[in-house]
Amino acid sequence: MSALVEIQDVKKSFGSNEVLKGVSIAVEPHEVLVVIGASGSGKSTLLKCINFLETYDEGRIVFDGKLVGYKENDQGRDIAPESETREIRKNIGMVFQNFNLFPHKSVLENVIEGPVQVKGVTKSEAIEYADELLKKVGLADKRDARPSTLSGGQQQRAAIARSLAMRPKLMLFDEPTSALDPELVGEVLATIRGLAEEGMTMIIVTHEMAFARDVADRVIFMDDGIVAEEASPEEIFTNPKAQRTQDFLARVL
Ligand code: ADP
Ligand code: MG
């Protein structure tokens, strides 16, 4: 089986701060990879490199057979034309901590925006699929509401529907429940779990350890810019090998 995402020895610095120190990860189609680790360990930077919201200094990221962000040549590499990066991004959905919905548009308008504007899908086709997705995330009755009238959990589910509307091959989640009141976390995690059951390929950064254990096919523990441990959820949560994983889990569990 060939990986959908292949991250090979990626390094990234902000000035003199090296935040990714040689990260290698492969994600197979339909796999759910959960990334855990302390704040500042480089998790968000890694996710952003995958859709080139951040550049990376060394190494390669290959998504669906295409090198992300760069064009290689005899001298090394140059930044790829924006059109190529845009093409890659169409296939990668990203959901952040803060939902970033368009405030002046209805939920439905938020969901159809990408397909209509970026993919050139007809409006009626986009609406048909959007209604299907809103039903799936439990927001059929909110299709005409403004985001500001929704709870945080509803807004995040709308943001997930908006990403799914692009029919991505990969979904990236960066602490999707961190900004939510505790009682709203469960409904968002249930939505993500549903995607896992449908076979969506996902990389999920989360601090929700019970959810991580439940949804992950594989877990990566990042520590100070490296992958300190990679294992099955059973292994990492019951028998972590690295001392740093043990220390981290002792703090958060
Ligand atoms: P995590 O998501 O694991 O908390 P981040 O990837 O956000 O970690 O950050 C890793 C390190 O990179 C931190 O030291 C952070 O301050 C730094 N960093 C992240 N983004 C930037 C940026 N745009 N400019 C400068 N430093 C950054
Ligand atoms: Mg982060």
Side-chain angles (χ1 to χ4, degrees):
M1 194 150 62
S2 78
L4 180 62
V5 189
E6 185 122 31
I7 299 169
Q8 301 160 344
D9 206 19
V10 163
K11 297 180 182 170
K12 163 78 179 173
S13 297
F14 292 107
S16 60
N17 183 16
E18 190 176 30
V19 302
L20 298 176
K21 300 176 179 173
V23 171
S24 298
I25 299 169
V27 185
E28 305 294 329
H30 311 299
E31 193 177 23
V32 178
L33 179 75
V34 167
V35 181
I36 61 173
S39 177
S41 58
K43 306 180 299 298
S44 294
T45 302
L46 179 66
L47 283 195
K48 286 182 199 154
C49 287
I50 295 171
N51 58 8
F52 213 58
L53 292 178
E54 283 289 357
T55 59
Y56 48 100
D57 307 323
E58 285 180 52
R60 304 172 92 242
I61 298 178
V62 177
F63 171 77
D64 205 14
K66 296 174 211 77
L67 181 65
V68 173
Y70 297 101
K71 266 211 150 4
E72 290 173 329
N73 55 43
D74 295 343
Q75 279 73 47
R77 64 191 191 184
D78 297 313
I79 299 274
E82 185 62 29
S83 60
E84 291 184 17
T85 298
R86 220 179 298 129
E87 209 47 50
I88 288 173
R89 285 189 188 137
K90 278 185 199 170
N91 291 298
I92 304 178
M94 187 157 186
V95 174
F96 300 90
Q97 188 171 323
N98 301 310
F99 338 113
N100 305 323
L101 296 164
F102 303 115
H104 56 287
K105 290 183 188 291
S106 71
V107 167
L108 181 76
E109 288 165 344
N110 267 277
V111 176
I112 67 171
E113 169 88 13
V116 171
Q117 300 300 329
V118 180
K119 288 185 92 174
V121 173
T122 65
K123 198 167 172 187
S124 64
E125 221 177 306
I127 289 174
E128 192 175 326
Y129 191 44
D131 278 328
E132 196 180 307
L133 290 170
L134 289 173
K135 200 164 144 200
K136 181 178 359 210
V137 303
L139 289 177
D141 58 331
K142 298 291 181 190
R143 80 195 281 275
D144 300 316
R146 290 289 165 101
S148 61
T149 67
L150 306 185
S151 73
Q154 290 170 333
Q155 288 185 51
Q156 191 62 304
R157 286 184 282 136
I160 292 170
R162 189 178 57 178
S163 280
L164 294 174
M166 293 293 284
R167 301 181 191 268
K169 292 181 179 169
L170 172 71
M171 285 289 291
L172 306 174
F173 289 91
D174 193 358
E175 299 193 25
T177 61
S178 293
L180 299 177
D181 292 334
E183 72 273 19
L184 302 177
V185 168
E187 64 193 55
V188 172
L189 296 183
T191 300
I192 300 171
R193 193 177 289 118
L195 297 180
E197 282 161 8
E198 286 176 14
M200 176 63 78
T201 311
M202 300 193 275
I203 305 177
I204 305 170
V205 174
T206 185
H207 291 301
E208 297 287 338
M209 294 300 150
F211 170 70
R213 187 170 179 166
D214 174 53
V215 80
D217 293 311
R218 210 146 43 90
V219 179
I220 276 174
F221 170 63
M222 279 191 68
D223 186 68
D224 199 17
I226 62 158
V227 175
E229 186 159 354
E230 174 177 345
S232 71
E234 292 74 30
E235 280 170 343
I236 214 153
F237 289 113
T238 59
N239 189 25
K241 301 275 180 298
Q243 184 63 46
R244 295 197 275 187
T245 318
Q246 294 171 16
D247 294 345
F248 173 75
L249 290 174
R251 271 187 282 125
V252 300
L253 286 178

